[in-house]
Amino acid sequence: SVDDLVNIYRYRTLNKQTHIYGLIGEQVESSLGHEVHNRLIDNAQVNAVYIKMGLTADELPQFFNVVGRLPFRGLSV
Protein backbone atom coordinates (compact mmCIF):
# COMPACT_ATOMS: atom_id res chain seq x y z
CA SER A 1 0.00 0.00 0.00
CA VAL A 2 1.03 3.63 -0.31
CA ASP A 3 1.00 3.84 3.48
CA ASP A 4 3.52 0.96 3.67
CA LEU A 5 5.73 2.56 1.01
CA VAL A 6 5.89 5.83 2.94
CA ASN A 7 5.83 4.68 6.56
CA ILE A 8 7.53 1.27 6.57
CA TYR A 9 9.80 1.37 3.53
CA ARG A 10 10.52 5.14 3.74
CA TYR A 11 10.10 5.44 -0.05
CA ARG A 12 10.93 9.15 -0.11
CA THR A 13 14.41 8.54 1.34
CA LEU A 14 15.47 5.75 -1.04
CA ASN A 15 18.10 6.51 -3.67
CA LYS A 16 20.65 4.77 -5.90
CA GLN A 17 22.99 4.28 -2.93
CA THR A 18 20.35 2.59 -0.75
CA HIS A 19 21.40 -0.92 0.26
CA ILE A 20 18.66 -3.52 -0.12
CA TYR A 21 18.12 -6.40 2.28
CA GLY A 22 15.20 -8.73 2.14
CA LEU A 23 13.26 -11.86 2.85
CA ILE A 24 12.40 -14.21 -0.01
CA GLY A 25 10.22 -17.29 0.00
CA GLU A 26 6.84 -18.75 -0.72
CA GLN A 27 5.15 -17.82 2.55
CA VAL A 28 6.46 -14.39 3.54
CA GLU A 29 3.08 -12.65 3.82
CA SER A 30 2.75 -13.14 7.58
CA SER A 31 6.33 -12.09 8.37
CA LEU A 32 6.73 -8.89 10.37
CA GLY A 33 10.47 -8.78 9.67
CA HIS A 34 10.18 -5.88 7.23
CA GLU A 35 8.52 -3.75 9.91
CA VAL A 36 11.09 -4.61 12.58
CA HIS A 37 14.16 -4.30 10.35
CA ASN A 38 13.04 -1.02 8.77
CA ARG A 39 12.33 0.49 12.18
CA LEU A 40 15.85 -0.48 13.30
CA ILE A 41 17.36 0.83 10.05
CA ASP A 42 15.49 4.12 10.47
CA ASN A 43 16.62 4.49 14.09
CA ALA A 44 20.23 3.80 13.07
CA GLN A 45 19.92 6.32 10.23
CA VAL A 46 21.40 3.87 7.74
CA ASN A 47 20.73 4.20 4.00
CA ALA A 48 19.10 0.79 3.62
CA VAL A 49 15.72 -0.88 3.24
CA TYR A 50 14.45 -4.36 4.11
CA ILE A 51 11.76 -5.79 1.85
CA LYS A 52 9.85 -9.04 1.69
CA MET A 53 9.29 -10.75 -1.65
CA GLY A 54 7.03 -13.70 -2.22
CA LEU A 55 8.75 -16.03 -4.68
CA THR A 56 8.08 -19.57 -5.77
CA ALA A 57 10.91 -22.03 -6.44
CA ASP A 58 10.22 -21.66 -10.17
CA GLU A 59 10.79 -17.89 -9.95
CA LEU A 60 14.20 -18.13 -8.24
CA PRO A 61 16.35 -18.37 -11.42
CA GLN A 62 14.76 -15.23 -12.87
CA PHE A 63 15.04 -13.44 -9.52
CA PHE A 64 18.76 -14.20 -9.23
CA ASN A 65 19.33 -12.97 -12.79
CA VAL A 66 17.87 -9.58 -11.78
CA VAL A 67 19.13 -9.31 -8.21
CA GLY A 68 22.75 -8.96 -9.31
CA ARG A 69 21.91 -5.67 -11.03
CA LEU A 70 20.49 -4.12 -7.87
CA PRO A 71 22.27 -3.05 -4.67
CA PHE A 72 21.25 -6.11 -2.64
CA ARG A 73 23.46 -6.68 0.40
CA GLY A 74 21.75 -9.67 1.95
CA LEU A 75 18.78 -12.02 1.83
CA SER A 76 16.96 -14.15 4.33
CA VAL A 77 15.22 -17.26 3.00
Side-chain angles (χ1 to χ4, degrees):
S1 69
V2 172
D3 186 60
D4 286 352
L5 284 173
V6 172
N7 296 312
I8 295 174
Y9 297 108
R10 301 170 333 281
Y11 172 77
R12 292 184 180 114
T13 67
L14 305 180
N15 56 53
K16 290 182 180 181
Q17 289 75 39
T18 301
H19 295 170
I20 303 171
Y21 298 88
L23 170 65
I24 62 172
E26 291 196 35
Q27 297 180 11
V28 299
E29 297 82 21
S30 62
S31 173
L32 298 177
H34 66 295
E35 293 181 27
V36 173
H37 288 286
N38 283 308
R39 192 174 310 123
L40 293 170
I41 288 168
D42 191 35
N43 288 342
Q45 298 180 352
V46 176
N47 187 8
V49 65
Y50 187 94
I51 58 177
K52 62 181 179 180
M53 297 163 279
L55 296 172
T56 65
D58 293 339
E59 294 170 317
L60 286 175
Q62 183 179 3
F63 172 78
F64 282 111
N65 282 333
V66 173
V67 76
R69 292 180 259 158
L70 298 170
F72 273 87
R73 297 296 176 136
L75 292 169
S76 301
V77 180

